[in-house]
mmCIF file of all heavy atoms in Angstrom:
data_model
loop_
_atom_site.group_PDB
_atom_site.id
_atom_site.type_symbol
_atom_site.label_atom_id
_atom_site.label_comp_id
_atom_site.label_asym_id
_atom_site.label_seq_id
_atom_site.Cartn_x
_atom_site.Cartn_y
_atom_site.Cartn_z
ATOM 1 N N GLU R 1 9.256 8.037 1.449
ATOM 2 C CA GLU R 1 8.455 7.289 2.334
ATOM 3 C C GLU R 1 8.857 7.801 3.684
ATOM 4 O O GLU R 1 9.788 7.329 4.357
ATOM 5 C CB GLU R 1 8.873 5.704 2.216
ATOM 6 C CG GLU R 1 7.999 4.921 2.923
ATOM 7 C CD GLU R 1 8.216 3.390 2.644
ATOM 8 O OE1 GLU R 1 8.408 2.987 1.512
ATOM 9 O OE2 GLU R 1 8.272 2.647 3.649
ATOM 10 N N VAL R 2 8.195 8.905 4.106
ATOM 11 C CA VAL R 2 8.422 9.483 5.330
ATOM 12 C C VAL R 2 7.096 9.794 6.061
ATOM 13 O O VAL R 2 6.073 9.157 5.730
ATOM 14 C CB VAL R 2 9.062 10.992 5.022
ATOM 15 C CG1 VAL R 2 10.421 10.808 4.468
ATOM 16 C CG2 VAL R 2 8.169 11.804 4.158
ATOM 17 N N TYR R 3 7.046 10.519 7.139
ATOM 18 C CA TYR R 3 5.850 10.746 7.874
ATOM 19 C C TYR R 3 4.755 11.322 7.109
ATOM 20 O O TYR R 3 5.121 12.263 6.168
ATOM 21 C CB TYR R 3 5.969 11.559 9.172
ATOM 22 C CG TYR R 3 6.827 12.853 8.913
ATOM 23 C CD1 TYR R 3 6.168 14.043 8.412
ATOM 24 C CD2 TYR R 3 8.180 12.885 9.136
ATOM 25 C CE1 TYR R 3 6.959 15.264 8.189
ATOM 26 C CE2 TYR R 3 8.938 14.042 8.932
ATOM 27 C CZ TYR R 3 8.268 15.256 8.439
ATOM 28 O OH TYR R 3 9.075 16.371 8.216
ATOM 29 N N PRO R 4 3.589 11.118 7.102
ATOM 30 C CA PRO R 4 2.442 11.794 6.442
ATOM 31 C C PRO R 4 2.373 13.281 6.815
ATOM 32 O O PRO R 4 2.652 13.630 8.004
ATOM 33 C CB PRO R 4 1.152 11.092 6.886
ATOM 34 C CG PRO R 4 1.565 9.715 7.243
ATOM 35 C CD PRO R 4 2.904 9.883 7.925
ATOM 36 N N THR R 5 2.011 14.207 5.944
ATOM 37 C CA THR R 5 2.036 15.620 6.295
ATOM 38 C C THR R 5 0.830 16.217 5.516
ATOM 39 O O THR R 5 0.049 15.499 4.950
ATOM 40 C CB THR R 5 3.305 16.223 5.913
ATOM 41 O OG1 THR R 5 3.430 17.540 6.351
ATOM 42 C CG2 THR R 5 3.538 16.203 4.296
ATOM 43 N N ASN R 6 0.765 17.555 5.589
ATOM 44 C CA ASN R 6 -0.343 18.206 4.979
ATOM 45 C C ASN R 6 0.012 18.409 3.522
ATOM 46 O O ASN R 6 1.118 18.468 3.100
ATOM 47 C CB ASN R 6 -0.599 19.576 5.623
ATOM 48 C CG ASN R 6 -1.114 19.421 7.069
ATOM 49 O OD1 ASN R 6 -1.674 18.297 7.389
ATOM 50 N ND2 ASN R 6 -0.979 20.400 7.961
ATOM 51 N N SER R 7 -0.981 18.821 2.662
ATOM 52 C CA SER R 7 -0.816 19.025 1.269
ATOM 53 C C SER R 7 0.217 20.098 0.821
ATOM 54 O O SER R 7 0.934 19.961 -0.079
ATOM 55 C CB SER R 7 -2.124 19.279 0.514
ATOM 56 O OG SER R 7 -2.847 20.379 1.076
ATOM 57 N N GLU R 8 0.269 21.165 1.637
ATOM 58 C CA GLU R 8 1.219 22.268 1.305
ATOM 59 C C GLU R 8 2.650 21.753 1.504
ATOM 60 O O GLU R 8 3.548 22.147 0.749
ATOM 61 C CB GLU R 8 1.047 23.443 2.171
ATOM 62 C CG GLU R 8 1.209 23.236 3.650
ATOM 63 C CD GLU R 8 0.873 24.493 4.460
ATOM 64 O OE1 GLU R 8 0.385 25.526 3.898
ATOM 65 O OE2 GLU R 8 1.109 24.482 5.781
ATOM 66 N N SER R 9 2.889 20.782 2.384
ATOM 67 C CA SER R 9 4.234 20.278 2.584
ATOM 68 C C SER R 9 4.593 19.292 1.457
ATOM 69 O O SER R 9 5.692 19.327 0.915
ATOM 70 C CB SER R 9 4.446 19.486 3.990
ATOM 71 O OG SER R 9 4.224 20.507 4.987
ATOM 72 N N TYR R 10 3.598 18.523 0.968
ATOM 73 C CA TYR R 10 3.749 17.684 -0.210
ATOM 74 C C TYR R 10 4.134 18.478 -1.373
ATOM 75 O O TYR R 10 4.983 18.122 -2.222
ATOM 76 C CB TYR R 10 2.632 16.757 -0.458
ATOM 77 C CG TYR R 10 2.438 15.603 0.535
ATOM 78 C CD1 TYR R 10 1.288 15.385 1.306
ATOM 79 C CD2 TYR R 10 3.420 14.732 0.718
ATOM 80 C CE1 TYR R 10 1.166 14.406 2.169
ATOM 81 C CE2 TYR R 10 3.441 13.667 1.523
ATOM 82 C CZ TYR R 10 2.178 13.409 2.334
ATOM 83 O OH TYR R 10 2.101 12.436 3.180
ATOM 84 N N ALA R 11 3.404 19.653 -1.495
ATOM 85 C CA ALA R 11 3.724 20.651 -2.669
ATOM 86 C C ALA R 11 5.154 21.073 -2.604
ATOM 87 O O ALA R 11 5.823 21.106 -3.624
ATOM 88 C CB ALA R 11 2.697 21.809 -2.640
ATOM 89 N N TYR R 12 5.554 21.472 -1.378
ATOM 90 C CA TYR R 12 6.990 21.907 -1.224
ATOM 91 C C TYR R 12 8.061 20.770 -1.588
ATOM 92 O O TYR R 12 8.927 21.005 -2.285
ATOM 93 C CB TYR R 12 7.230 22.322 0.242
ATOM 94 C CG TYR R 12 8.652 22.574 0.584
ATOM 95 C CD1 TYR R 12 9.337 23.692 0.041
ATOM 96 C CD2 TYR R 12 9.265 21.687 1.401
ATOM 97 C CE1 TYR R 12 10.716 23.925 0.328
ATOM 98 C CE2 TYR R 12 10.703 21.902 1.797
ATOM 99 C CZ TYR R 12 11.240 22.966 1.209
ATOM 100 O OH TYR R 12 12.713 23.162 1.484
ATOM 101 N N TRP R 13 7.714 19.597 -1.129
ATOM 102 C CA TRP R 13 8.600 18.447 -1.544
ATOM 103 C C TRP R 13 8.629 18.250 -2.964
ATOM 104 O O TRP R 13 9.637 17.935 -3.588
ATOM 105 C CB TRP R 13 8.199 17.246 -0.671
ATOM 106 C CG TRP R 13 8.560 17.180 0.737
ATOM 107 C CD1 TRP R 13 9.445 18.095 1.352
ATOM 108 C CD2 TRP R 13 7.961 16.511 1.802
ATOM 109 N NE1 TRP R 13 9.511 17.832 2.779
ATOM 110 C CE2 TRP R 13 8.511 16.929 3.039
ATOM 111 C CE3 TRP R 13 6.971 15.576 1.828
ATOM 112 C CZ2 TRP R 13 8.185 16.373 4.289
ATOM 113 C CZ3 TRP R 13 6.590 14.992 3.048
ATOM 114 C CH2 TRP R 13 7.188 15.335 4.264
ATOM 115 N N HIS R 14 7.511 18.372 -3.657
ATOM 116 C CA HIS R 14 7.402 18.146 -5.078
ATOM 117 C C HIS R 14 8.275 19.303 -5.799
ATOM 118 O O HIS R 14 9.012 18.956 -6.760
ATOM 119 C CB HIS R 14 6.060 18.260 -5.532
ATOM 120 C CG HIS R 14 5.896 18.021 -7.035
ATOM 121 N ND1 HIS R 14 6.289 16.909 -7.743
ATOM 122 C CD2 HIS R 14 5.385 18.829 -8.007
ATOM 123 C CE1 HIS R 14 6.087 17.047 -9.070
ATOM 124 N NE2 HIS R 14 5.466 18.299 -9.200
ATOM 125 N N GLU R 15 8.158 20.484 -5.288
ATOM 126 C CA GLU R 15 8.998 21.498 -5.879
ATOM 127 C C GLU R 15 10.459 21.265 -5.671
ATOM 128 O O GLU R 15 11.329 21.741 -6.544
ATOM 129 C CB GLU R 15 8.648 22.944 -5.164
ATOM 130 C CG GLU R 15 7.268 23.494 -5.491
ATOM 131 C CD GLU R 15 6.827 24.669 -4.630
ATOM 132 O OE1 GLU R 15 7.700 25.038 -3.892
ATOM 133 O OE2 GLU R 15 5.780 25.052 -4.805
ATOM 134 N N CYS R 16 10.746 20.665 -4.560
ATOM 135 C CA CYS R 16 12.222 20.226 -4.236
ATOM 136 C C CYS R 16 12.743 19.152 -5.138
ATOM 137 O O CYS R 16 13.897 18.923 -5.215
ATOM 138 C CB CYS R 16 12.377 19.908 -2.786
ATOM 139 S SG CYS R 16 12.214 21.314 -1.713
ATOM 140 N N GLY R 17 11.728 18.313 -5.819
ATOM 141 C CA GLY R 17 12.182 17.281 -6.770
ATOM 142 C C GLY R 17 11.567 15.983 -6.519
ATOM 143 O O GLY R 17 11.861 15.046 -7.289
ATOM 144 N N ALA R 18 10.736 15.781 -5.488
ATOM 145 C CA ALA R 18 10.104 14.514 -5.241
ATOM 146 C C ALA R 18 9.050 14.246 -6.377
ATOM 147 O O ALA R 18 8.306 15.156 -6.690
ATOM 148 C CB ALA R 18 9.551 14.440 -3.822
ATOM 149 N N ASP R 19 8.914 12.935 -6.760
ATOM 150 C CA ASP R 19 7.925 12.585 -7.750
ATOM 151 C C ASP R 19 6.794 11.857 -7.224
ATOM 152 O O ASP R 19 5.716 12.007 -7.724
ATOM 153 C CB ASP R 19 8.612 11.556 -8.781
ATOM 154 C CG ASP R 19 9.697 12.208 -9.561
ATOM 155 O OD1 ASP R 19 9.410 12.886 -10.547
ATOM 156 O OD2 ASP R 19 10.935 11.978 -9.194
ATOM 157 N N TYR R 20 6.931 10.999 -6.133
ATOM 158 C CA TYR R 20 5.882 10.241 -5.671
ATOM 159 C C TYR R 20 6.071 10.007 -4.103
ATOM 160 O O TYR R 20 7.157 10.153 -3.584
ATOM 161 C CB TYR R 20 5.814 8.860 -6.400
ATOM 162 C CG TYR R 20 7.008 8.012 -6.228
ATOM 163 C CD1 TYR R 20 6.974 6.977 -5.343
ATOM 164 C CD2 TYR R 20 8.058 8.020 -7.039
ATOM 165 C CE1 TYR R 20 8.058 6.132 -5.086
ATOM 166 C CE2 TYR R 20 9.230 7.213 -6.916
ATOM 167 C CZ TYR R 20 9.163 6.187 -5.915
ATOM 168 O OH TYR R 20 10.220 5.454 -5.772
ATOM 169 N N VAL R 21 4.999 9.568 -3.533
ATOM 170 C CA VAL R 21 4.959 9.389 -2.134
ATOM 171 C C VAL R 21 4.377 7.886 -1.844
ATOM 172 O O VAL R 21 3.338 7.656 -2.410
ATOM 173 C CB VAL R 21 4.046 10.439 -1.401
ATOM 174 C CG1 VAL R 21 3.846 10.118 0.054
ATOM 175 C CG2 VAL R 21 4.751 11.717 -1.473
ATOM 176 N N THR R 22 4.960 7.158 -0.978
ATOM 177 C CA THR R 22 4.446 5.862 -0.571
ATOM 178 C C THR R 22 4.115 5.990 0.981
ATOM 179 O O THR R 22 4.941 6.538 1.749
ATOM 180 C CB THR R 22 5.415 4.799 -0.747
ATOM 181 O OG1 THR R 22 5.665 4.610 -2.142
ATOM 182 C CG2 THR R 22 4.955 3.440 -0.100
ATOM 183 N N VAL R 23 2.905 5.522 1.353
ATOM 184 C CA VAL R 23 2.570 5.498 2.749
ATOM 185 C C VAL R 23 2.034 4.119 3.054
ATOM 186 O O VAL R 23 1.054 3.718 2.340
ATOM 187 C CB VAL R 23 1.426 6.663 3.086
ATOM 188 C CG1 VAL R 23 1.090 6.494 4.488
ATOM 189 C CG2 VAL R 23 1.988 7.995 2.735
ATOM 190 N N PHE R 24 2.532 3.411 4.080
ATOM 191 C CA PHE R 24 1.965 2.210 4.416
ATOM 192 C C PHE R 24 0.886 2.484 5.422
ATOM 193 O O PHE R 24 1.142 3.107 6.503
ATOM 194 C CB PHE R 24 3.046 1.367 5.204
ATOM 195 C CG PHE R 24 4.065 0.681 4.230
ATOM 196 C CD1 PHE R 24 4.290 1.153 2.924
ATOM 197 C CD2 PHE R 24 4.848 -0.373 4.724
ATOM 198 C CE1 PHE R 24 5.218 0.537 2.103
ATOM 199 C CE2 PHE R 24 5.790 -1.019 3.841
ATOM 200 C CZ PHE R 24 5.910 -0.537 2.553
ATOM 201 N N GLN R 25 -0.263 2.075 5.162
ATOM 202 C CA GLN R 25 -1.361 2.237 6.146
ATOM 203 C C GLN R 25 -1.130 1.079 7.288
ATOM 204 O O GLN R 25 -1.832 1.239 8.343
ATOM 205 C CB GLN R 25 -2.741 1.909 5.529
ATOM 206 C CG GLN R 25 -3.955 2.162 6.466
ATOM 207 C CD GLN R 25 -4.030 3.548 7.047
ATOM 208 O OE1 GLN R 25 -3.552 4.519 6.496
ATOM 209 N NE2 GLN R 25 -4.499 3.637 8.255
ATOM 210 N N GLU R 26 -0.360 0.164 7.014
ATOM 211 C CA GLU R 26 -0.056 -0.975 8.001
ATOM 212 C C GLU R 26 -1.232 -1.923 8.169
ATOM 213 O O GLU R 26 -1.142 -3.026 7.699
ATOM 214 C CB GLU R 26 0.410 -0.417 9.374
ATOM 215 C CG GLU R 26 1.327 0.801 9.340
ATOM 216 C CD GLU R 26 2.680 0.472 8.657
ATOM 217 O OE1 GLU R 26 2.868 -0.523 7.979
ATOM 218 O OE2 GLU R 26 3.601 1.359 8.820
ATOM 219 N N THR R 27 -2.379 -1.488 8.733
ATOM 220 C CA THR R 27 -3.551 -2.157 8.763
ATOM 221 C C THR R 27 -4.745 -1.183 8.628
ATOM 222 O O THR R 27 -4.698 -0.066 9.145
ATOM 223 C CB THR R 27 -3.763 -3.079 9.947
ATOM 224 O OG1 THR R 27 -5.084 -3.736 9.834
ATOM 225 C CG2 THR R 27 -3.737 -2.279 11.289
ATOM 226 N N TYR R 28 -5.735 -1.610 7.870
ATOM 227 C CA TYR R 28 -6.986 -0.756 7.671
ATOM 228 C C TYR R 28 -8.017 -1.061 8.747
ATOM 229 O O TYR R 28 -9.054 -0.454 8.772
ATOM 230 C CB TYR R 28 -7.594 -0.939 6.284
ATOM 231 C CG TYR R 28 -6.751 -0.242 5.236
ATOM 232 C CD1 TYR R 28 -5.635 -0.823 4.683
ATOM 233 C CD2 TYR R 28 -7.201 0.953 4.678
ATOM 234 C CE1 TYR R 28 -4.949 -0.225 3.604
ATOM 235 C CE2 TYR R 28 -6.520 1.611 3.639
ATOM 236 C CZ TYR R 28 -5.445 0.972 3.092
ATOM 237 O OH TYR R 28 -4.709 1.614 2.123
ATOM 238 N N HIS R 29 -7.747 -1.977 9.637
ATOM 239 C CA HIS R 29 -8.603 -2.277 10.726
ATOM 240 C C HIS R 29 -8.321 -1.376 11.915
ATOM 241 O O HIS R 29 -7.351 -1.450 12.651
ATOM 242 C CB HIS R 29 -8.415 -3.758 11.165
ATOM 243 C CG HIS R 29 -9.443 -4.203 12.134
ATOM 244 N ND1 HIS R 29 -9.605 -3.820 13.369
ATOM 245 C CD2 HIS R 29 -10.429 -5.217 11.976
ATOM 246 C CE1 HIS R 29 -10.560 -4.505 14.009
ATOM 247 N NE2 HIS R 29 -11.109 -5.368 13.196
ATOM 248 N N ALA R 30 -9.357 -0.296 12.105
ATOM 249 C CA ALA R 30 -9.080 0.757 13.004
ATOM 250 C C ALA R 30 -8.882 0.330 14.411
ATOM 251 O O ALA R 30 -8.007 0.879 15.038
ATOM 252 C CB ALA R 30 -10.230 1.748 12.875
ATOM 253 N N GLU R 31 -9.582 -0.721 14.777
ATOM 254 C CA GLU R 31 -9.419 -1.118 16.241
ATOM 255 C C GLU R 31 -8.031 -1.784 16.463
ATOM 256 O O GLU R 31 -7.382 -1.703 17.386
ATOM 257 C CB GLU R 31 -10.548 -2.077 16.608
ATOM 258 C CG GLU R 31 -11.949 -1.418 16.746
ATOM 259 C CD GLU R 31 -12.966 -2.275 17.205
ATOM 260 O OE1 GLU R 31 -12.640 -3.549 17.663
ATOM 261 O OE2 GLU R 31 -14.206 -1.891 17.276
ATOM 262 N N LYS R 32 -7.748 -2.622 15.434
ATOM 263 C CA LYS R 32 -6.409 -3.377 15.544
ATOM 264 C C LYS R 32 -5.178 -2.185 15.451
ATOM 265 O O LYS R 32 -4.282 -2.345 16.172
ATOM 266 C CB LYS R 32 -6.228 -4.380 14.503
ATOM 267 C CG LYS R 32 -4.951 -5.185 14.555
ATOM 268 C CD LYS R 32 -4.755 -5.901 15.918
ATOM 269 C CE LYS R 32 -3.622 -6.851 15.970
ATOM 270 N NZ LYS R 32 -3.719 -7.932 15.065
ATOM 271 N N TYR R 33 -5.436 -1.236 14.561
ATOM 272 C CA TYR R 33 -4.518 -0.242 14.432
ATOM 273 C C TYR R 33 -4.232 0.467 15.650
ATOM 274 O O TYR R 33 -3.057 0.700 16.054
ATOM 275 C CB TYR R 33 -5.120 0.759 13.339
ATOM 276 C CG TYR R 33 -4.135 1.839 12.995
ATOM 277 C CD1 TYR R 33 -3.368 1.799 11.836
ATOM 278 C CD2 TYR R 33 -4.023 3.044 13.705
ATOM 279 C CE1 TYR R 33 -2.467 2.839 11.426
ATOM 280 C CE2 TYR R 33 -3.223 4.102 13.312
ATOM 281 C CZ TYR R 33 -2.416 3.981 12.217
ATOM 282 O OH TYR R 33 -1.484 4.984 11.923
#
């Protein structure tokens, strides 16, 4: 549960041993966001 990144970085983290990623959108309301 870290900063969002590009797919190639996620691929690297998976190679390093990570299984899953959690991202809180916080709110889906773009104006409130």
Side-chain angles (χ1 to χ4, degrees):
E1 192 175 314
V2 297
Y3 50 81
T5 189
N6 295 338
S7 56
E8 63 180 7
S9 296
Y10 284 123
Y12 168 70
W13 288 338
H14 180 58
E15 291 172 4
C16 291
D19 296 280
Y20 66 93
V21 169
T22 295
V23 179
F24 285 20
Q25 182 60 31
E26 317 296 14
T27 178
Y28 283 81
H29 190 290
E31 290 185 8
K32 184 60 175 286
Y33 185 96

